[in-house]
Amino acid sequence: MPISVSKRRPKISQKTEPKKSLKGPRTCFNNICWFSPRSVLYLVPVTILLIFLVYLWSSSTTVISNDVVHICISSRKLNDLYCLTAGSHPGLRVPANNLTKPVSRDVLRSKEERSVVVRGKDGDKGFIKNETFTGDNTAGTRVSVLVQDSKPKKEINPNLLIDWDTETGEERHRYIKPKDENEESALKSLEEYLQIQRSWLSVGNNRGDPGSCEGKGVYVYDLPSKFNEDLLRECSDKVLWANFSSFLKNDGFGESIENLGKGWFRTHQYSLEPIFHSRVLKHRCRVYDENQAKLFYVPFYAGVDVLRWHFKNVSKDVKDFLATEVVKWLGSKKSWRTNSGKDHVFVLGKISWDFRRQVNFSWGSTFLDMQEMKNPTKLLIERHPWEVNDVAVPHPTFFHPKTDDDISSWQNKIIAKPRRSLVSFAGGARPGDPDSIRSTLIDQCTSSPNKCRFLNCTNGGCNKAESVMELFQDSEFCLQPPGDSPTRKSVFDSLVSGCIPVIFDPYTAYYQYTWHFPDDHRAYSVYINKEDLKAKKVNVIEKLMSKTLREKEDMRSYIVHELLPGLVYGDSNAKFERFRDAFDITMDSLLHKISKNL
């Protein structure tokens, strides 16, 4: 157990000590003496040093744990917290946050006064009000920095930990408490892959001066039309309940929505492939000579190909036919063979599992399980957690701006929009799925009609983009439980609307979009563990009611001003100078990835 070193000042002894003479000139009058200016100047540095030592002592906490002494210093004006460790273990530097984009300290911390405490080995109880930072040192002792205030203390939620990597000093969020060694190993691999992907992120580009294209050539393969354009022409019967072709007009944006304003379209969640293709064709660094290329883009619409067979009784060979053909076609190219596909990228507008068909199932293709597909980068709306070359990019939203002004106008509109509802949920129940939390959320929402609005999507209630966007723009928080898979297009629709998403599964967002979301989820979302919801340990409405006005305003400001531009796919003729959209961030990071790995 840690032993806290008391900060209580020692009592002053009452004994009278002999007076010591002070050297130096002094003047006395009526038994009152004062020092000369020279003597006063001599005492100034000593006084400053004493004041500093008192301040340092008063703003720190010293804890002894086994053979380790930790001194943690905090300040309202410091951007970082530092724990200085003495003993047999290396020092641990604790940064305040580790975001992809800088966030003001107030976004993550609503309290001004803070104190830092440390707990000992696993199993020792600690208490927390707002935040938990933990890190394992080399001897297995867990050092936890806990934020406290004067309110009643709550026990730490073991399902949400924030670990500190002692080698890099980086923050690692842990949303799942492993049940066994296999799950612990899987989570460590997942975190490692996420950090690798974040190292590929290209940040800080000035859109007014994007720089030279030297060494950044992007080559677009001229594939036979059967791999892309022909698939779009044969899309009328792909989805049984809708004419999918109407969603793929306007370079994949779909039909325009006049009443929502400029740049709004009925965009389908599976339309990423033609959207991305149209933008790459106009990329400023596009080259037409393979020898000048750094990155090779393969415009194979594998997601549209898979979609056409989902609801038809055809053989597995038929489902894999085009995937096999495109790999053979690439195999004949010297550009493919030179680096074994490591400098190639595929954009797939569906989830990773649709391209990794299991042996005993008929759903999907085996495209991404082919040996030839291990090296290329695959951009998907939902990645495989344990495939480092699977990179998740945002789902297409309904908003596709063309200029900086389009983005700025929308930002100004939604930041000033009154939010009449605290919470909303647009979705349907999953009565046949015992693991689903949707029915519980619907029950809690409908039980508080004054606080929560429910839009039932079961019978097509969410088919109109206007209804969904109106609901989200009118809400403070938007509930985002998993559906058929962990990720949801709705997460991005809510963010574009300025509605703070409430996440229940880390695979919905936190383990996915490494290039477009910050590492620290607290800047833009609220996390509630779905297991706590299943066990009826939490009422979502009550938890969200506890959020302060300042917390909500800070999160919304970060979403609107920092995140939003990078979550939308601009028009195919977009010209951005002040912003980078989702496409720009993705392409810049792809080029950065290739330059680091080759």
Side-chain angles (χ1 to χ4, degrees):
M1 288 290 291
I3 305 171
S4 296
V5 177
S6 174
K7 297 182 188 176
R8 187 175 301 169
R9 297 182 179 178
K11 295 182 178 179
I12 300 174
S13 175
Q14 301 298 321
K15 294 181 180 180
T16 304
E17 296 182 3
K19 294 182 180 179
K20 298 179 181 179
S21 62
L22 295 172
K23 294 182 180 181
R26 62 178 182 174
T27 304
C28 297
F29 180 75
N30 290 338
N31 295 325
I32 299 175
C33 301
W34 59 90
F35 295 103
S36 69
R38 181 180 176 184
S39 176
V40 172
L41 291 174
Y42 173 79
L43 292 175
V44 167
V46 177
T47 305
I48 292 175
L49 178 61
L50 288 173
I51 292 173
F52 175 76
L53 290 175
V54 170
Y55 169 77
L56 185 64
W57 179 249
S58 65
S59 63
S60 68
T61 295
T62 304
V63 174
I64 302 174
S65 179
N66 292 339
D67 58 342
V68 185
V69 177
H70 307 281
I71 302 176
C72 298
I73 303 169
S74 65
S75 170
R76 280 179 286 176
K77 295 184 179 180
L78 290 178
N79 290 326
D80 291 320
L81 299 173
Y82 292 91
C83 286
L84 309 177
T85 304
S88 61
H89 307 306
L92 175 64
R93 178 185 180 276
V94 186
N97 51 54
N98 180 25
L99 299 178
T100 299
K101 295 180 180 179
V103 188
S104 68
R105 198 171 171 83
D106 289 338
V107 172
L108 303 180
R109 291 162 163 73
S110 60
K111 300 292 182 182
E112 291 186 354
E113 297 295 337
R114 304 250 170 219
S115 63
V116 179
V117 298
V118 180
R119 70 174 180 180
K121 295 182 179 179
D122 292 343
D124 290 352
K125 290 185 178 181
F127 298 92
I128 185 168
K129 172 58 184 174
N130 294 320
E131 301 165 330
T132 306
F133 307 95
T134 67
D136 295 331
N137 59 33
T138 54
T141 300
R142 174 165 290 176
V143 180
S144 303
V145 181
L146 310 181
V147 178
Q148 296 181 317
D149 59 22
S150 59
K151 294 182 180 181
K153 301 173 182 178
K154 296 183 180 180
E155 202 158 338
I156 295 172
N157 179 358
N159 294 314
L160 178 54
L161 301 175
I162 305 176
D163 295 346
W164 297 100
D165 190 318
T166 54
E167 294 184 3
T168 64
E170 293 182 347
E171 185 177 315
R172 301 178 304 167
H173 297 269
R174 301 295 299 273
Y175 306 94
I176 300 173
K177 185 177 182 180
K179 298 181 180 65
D180 51 43
E181 291 184 2
N182 289 334
E183 190 169 335
E184 173 67 22
S185 177
L187 286 172
K188 286 183 178 179
S189 296
L190 167 63
E191 292 163 359
E192 177 185 348
Y193 292 156
L194 292 175
Q195 291 304 320
I196 291 173
Q197 289 192 356
R198 289 192 188 281
S199 73
W200 299 333
L201 174 64
S202 174
V203 296
N205 288 14
N206 187 331
R207 298 307 298 156
D209 181 21
S212 170
C213 283
E214 184 177 355
K216 300 179 182 178
V218 178
Y219 184 83
V220 182
Y221 281 114
D222 185 16
L223 287 180
S225 60
K226 66 180 180 180
F227 294 114
N228 41 55
E229 293 179 3
D230 292 351
L231 293 173
L232 298 184
R233 297 191 187 101
E234 302 167 4
C235 62
S236 59
D237 64 342
K238 280 184 171 58
V239 180
L240 301 180
W241 54 88
N243 183 356
F244 194 68
S245 295
S246 65
F247 292 108
L248 298 177
K249 296 178 180 179
N250 297 318
D251 294 326
F253 290 164
E255 298 173 342
S256 62
I257 308 176
E258 300 295 338
N259 57 342
L260 282 183
K262 186 179 179 181
W264 289 86
F265 300 84
R266 301 188 190 282
T267 306
H268 198 275
Q269 61 178 330
Y270 297 147
S271 60
L272 181 64
E273 292 156 350
I275 290 174
F276 213 91
H277 190 185
S278 66
R279 289 290 299 277
V280 177
L281 290 175
K282 299 177 182 180
H283 192 273
R284 66 184 185 87
C285 294
R286 183 185 177 187
V287 296
Y288 297 87
D289 182 352
E290 294 182 12
N291 297 318
Q292 298 176 347
K294 186 74 172 182
L295 176 67
F296 294 84
Y297 168 63
V298 186
F300 170 40
Y301 296 174
V304 180
D305 176 41
V306 163
L307 187 62
R308 63 179 176 158
W309 305 123
H310 271 344
F311 307 100
K312 294 180 181 178
N313 186 20
V314 298
S315 69
K316 294 178 181 179
D317 290 339
V318 170
K319 295 181 178 182
D320 292 336
F321 177 74
L322 275 187
T324 304
E325 286 290 302
V326 78
V327 169
K328 288 181 180 178
W329 188 90
L330 287 168
S332 66
K333 301 293 181 180
K334 180 183 177 181
S335 53
W336 171 269
R337 298 193 302 270
T338 299
N339 290 305
S340 303
K342 292 179 181 178
D343 48 5
H344 284 58
V345 61
F346 292 78
V347 177
L348 311 176
K350 292 188 100 276
I351 67 175
S352 180
W353 309 108
D354 286 337
F355 308 101
R356 302 181 186 276
R357 187 180 65 236
Q358 301 299 303
V359 175
N360 298 324
F361 293 88
S362 60
W363 187 274
S365 75
T366 58
F367 182 43
L368 295 189
D369 282 335
M370 296 180 182
Q371 185 60 38
E372 296 87 347
M373 291 302 297
K374 296 297 181 182
N375 289 333
T377 303
K378 286 80 65 175
L379 304 179
L380 306 112
I381 57 175
E382 179 179 313
R383 66 180 294 268
H384 187 305
W386 294 278
E387 293 288 342
V388 71
N389 285 323
D390 274 19
V391 178
V393 295
H395 287 248
T397 66
F398 301 118
F399 184 41
H400 305 283
K402 195 170 185 176
T403 66
D404 292 328
D405 288 342
D406 291 343
I407 294 177
S408 296
S409 296
W410 180 248
Q411 288 175 318
N412 293 335
K413 178 179 179 179
I414 61 172
I415 202 68
K417 185 81 168 60
R419 308 273 166 171
R420 293 177 295 176
S421 298
L422 176 69
V423 194
S424 67
F425 176 39
R430 294 285 195 274
D433 182 3
D435 193 49
S436 177
I437 59 174
R438 291 184 169 218
S439 294
T440 302
L441 290 176
I442 292 171
D443 289 343
Q444 291 189 4
C445 183
T446 53
S447 297
S448 302
N450 295 329
K451 297 292 183 181
C452 186
R453 291 173 59 189
F454 171 54
L455 178 60
N456 193 342
C457 298
T458 303
N459 297 316
C462 300
N463 289 346
K464 292 189 65 176
E466 300 93 325
S467 300
V468 176
M469 296 306 293
E470 179 185 355
L471 177 68
F472 289 171
Q473 290 177 54
D474 207 29
S475 307
E476 299 267 17
F477 297 96
C478 294
L479 306 183
Q480 303 294 349
D484 296 327
S485 71
T487 64
R488 299 188 80 201
K489 177 181 182 292
S490 181
V491 171
F492 296 94
D493 289 333
S494 68
L495 287 167
V496 170
S497 304
C499 186
I500 303 166
V502 183
I503 306 296
F504 301 88
D505 188 330
Y507 293 97
T508 297
Y510 311 148
Y511 292 163
Q512 292 288 336
Y513 308 99
T514 53
W515 292 352
H516 298 82
F517 283 164
D519 192 17
D520 193 328
H521 78 273
R522 294 165 297 180
Y524 68 93
S525 70
V526 174
Y527 176 68
I528 298 176
N529 193 307
K530 65 179 181 181
E531 299 303 325
D532 289 343
L533 195 65
K534 290 179 186 177
K536 302 187 184 305
K537 294 181 179 179
V538 61
N539 183 290
V540 174
I541 311 302
E542 292 178 359
K543 185 175 182 66
L544 297 177
M545 287 174 62
S546 68
K547 297 295 180 181
T548 66
L549 177 62
R550 177 64 180 273
E551 288 174 320
K552 291 183 288 187
E553 288 179 345
D554 283 344
M555 292 174 73
R556 180 165 298 105
S557 178
Y558 179 75
I559 289 169
V560 173
H561 296 297
E562 298 291 334
L563 280 190
L564 190 154
L567 301 181
V568 297
Y569 295 94
D571 185 275
S572 57
N573 295 309
K575 299 293 183 183
F576 300 123
E577 294 182 359
R578 290 185 287 117
F579 298 108
R580 288 198 303 166
D581 72 344
F583 173 81
D584 292 325
I585 292 173
T586 301
M587 289 300 296
D588 292 344
S589 299
L590 277 172
L591 289 165
H592 190 211
K593 173 185 186 291
I594 300 303
S595 66
K596 290 186 67 173
N597 292 351
L598 290 181

